[in-house]
Amino acid sequence: MKNPWEEILLSDYENHMKLDSIKQLQAMNEMMKDQLNTYPVSNIMILGIEGGNGLEHILKSELKKVYGIDVNSSYLEEVNCRYPELKGVLECLCINLIDNFHNLSKADIVIANLLIEYIGYECFQKVIQHVYPKYVSCIIQINIEDCWISNSPYLHVFDNLNQIHHQIEAQELEKTMLQINYD
């Protein structure tokens, strides 16, 4: 089965996320700034990098490697175009984490924002156990209604995501991570 994310245009995704009624792109950018600069690390792995939102906060001089992982190859091409200043540090890899996480390198920190919802707890555990980072930083979306995608003119672009969407709960994620010795 082809991953539905491979069919979603980056422009549709980003235009949806940055709408004034949603403002998730802007919020994620600020959160990413903290994630990238809080921990003493020399290499970072960003799962679900999409268009590279937040990469402008990277201090290239302090890092050896930034791995950008996504299932959509056109997203990765755009990341490389948007951030030429990260050449030599940024390595973008097109990987479907559900099928092929074994090709991931080791990293000091894994950042997974709005990603666990599309791979599930068990797959996320396996990815983390394989990469074996010192730190894991993730942002999940807490849904208070049955609708897990905000209403917008782009809403129907995301229709096929329900095939792979998992409802993620903070306490269950904490429990899942404790099972593999991450607190």
Side-chain angles (χ1 to χ4, degrees), residues 76-93:
L76 298 172
E77 290 171 17
E78 187 61 28
V79 170
N80 282 319
C81 289
R82 288 179 179 178
Y83 299 97
E85 69 277 10
L86 294 178
K87 188 175 183 172
V89 172
L90 178 62
E91 183 176 342
C92 289
L93 302 168

Side-chain angles (χ1 to χ4, degrees), residues 2-39:
K2 194 168 190 175
N3 190 305
W5 276 109
E6 294 176 73
E7 304 297 322
I8 298 173
L9 296 175
L10 182 60
S11 59
D12 287 344
Y13 173 73
E14 289 180 334
N15 286 330
H16 167 80
M17 295 285 281
K18 72 181 181 184
L19 285 170
D20 285 340
S21 60
I22 297 174
K23 292 190 179 179
Q24 249 183 345
L25 199 67
Q26 300 89 323
M28 295 292 292
N29 187 284
E30 283 301 310
M31 290 185 245
M32 188 78 158
K33 182 178 181 180
D34 289 338
Q35 289 173 306
L36 291 169
N37 296 300
T38 297
Y39 305 96

Side-chain angles (χ1 to χ4, degrees), residues 7 32 34 39 41 44 55 71 73 92 112 117 121 147 158 169 174:
E7 304 297 322
M32 188 78 158
D34 289 338
Y39 305 96
V41 298
I44 296 170
L55 291 183
V71 69
S73 61
C92 289
E117 292 86 345
Y121 299 116
C147 183
F158 306 105
E169 302 294 335
E174 288 176 20

Side-chain angles (χ1 to χ4, degrees), residues 5-180:
W5 276 109
E6 294 176 73
E7 304 297 322
I8 298 173
L9 296 175
L10 182 60
S11 59
D12 287 344
Y13 173 73
E14 289 180 334
N15 286 330
H16 167 80
M17 295 285 281
K18 72 181 181 184
L19 285 170
D20 285 340
S21 60
I22 297 174
K23 292 190 179 179
Q24 249 183 345
L25 199 67
Q26 300 89 323
M28 295 292 292
N29 187 284
E30 283 301 310
M31 290 185 245
M32 188 78 158
K33 182 178 181 180
D34 289 338
Q35 289 173 306
L36 291 169
N37 296 300
T38 297
Y39 305 96
V41 298
S42 61
N43 58 67
I44 296 170
M45 182 173 292
I46 303 169
L47 304 177
I49 196 166
E50 289 145 355
N53 183 27
L55 291 183
E56 68 272 15
H57 303 298
I58 286 179
L59 302 173
K60 182 179 174 182
S61 61
E62 296 180 15
L63 295 173
K64 292 180 184 171
K65 186 64 80 176
V66 176
Y67 298 99
I69 312 299
D70 209 286
V71 69
N72 189 316
S73 61
S74 65
Y75 291 7
L76 298 172
E77 290 171 17
E78 187 61 28
V79 170
N80 282 319
C81 289
R82 288 179 179 178
Y83 299 97
E85 69 277 10
L86 294 178
K87 188 175 183 172
V89 172
L90 178 62
E91 183 176 342
C92 289
L93 302 168
C94 189
I95 297 176
N96 184 339
L97 296 172
I98 295 169
D99 301 329
N100 200 15
F101 64 85
H102 295 92
N103 291 332
L104 296 173
S105 298
K106 302 295 182 203
D108 297 328
I109 185 171
V110 167
I111 297 173
N113 297 335
L114 302 182
L115 171 100
I116 304 167
E117 292 86 345
Y118 301 104
I119 64 171
Y121 299 116
E122 185 178 337
C123 182
F124 188 60
Q125 272 184 323
K126 289 177 183 176
V127 168
I128 296 303
Q129 287 176 305
H130 178 78
V131 175
Y132 197 63
K134 185 173 182 179
Y135 307 101
V136 177
S137 182
C138 57
I139 296 169
I140 61 170
Q141 179 173 309
I142 304 296
N143 301 311
I144 54 176
E145 298 174 15
D146 289 337
C147 183
W148 49 274
I149 297 179
S150 300
N151 192 21
S152 85
Y154 302 94
L155 184 62
H156 293 295
V157 168
F158 306 105
D159 284 347
N160 290 333
L161 289 179
N162 62 5
Q163 299 171 26
I164 59 170
H165 182 264
H166 302 264
Q167 183 62 37
I168 302 299
E169 302 294 335
Q171 288 180 330
E172 187 63 27
L173 179 57
E174 288 176 20
K175 186 172 131 183
T176 298
M177 296 304 290
L178 282 172
Q179 290 171 353
I180 59 170

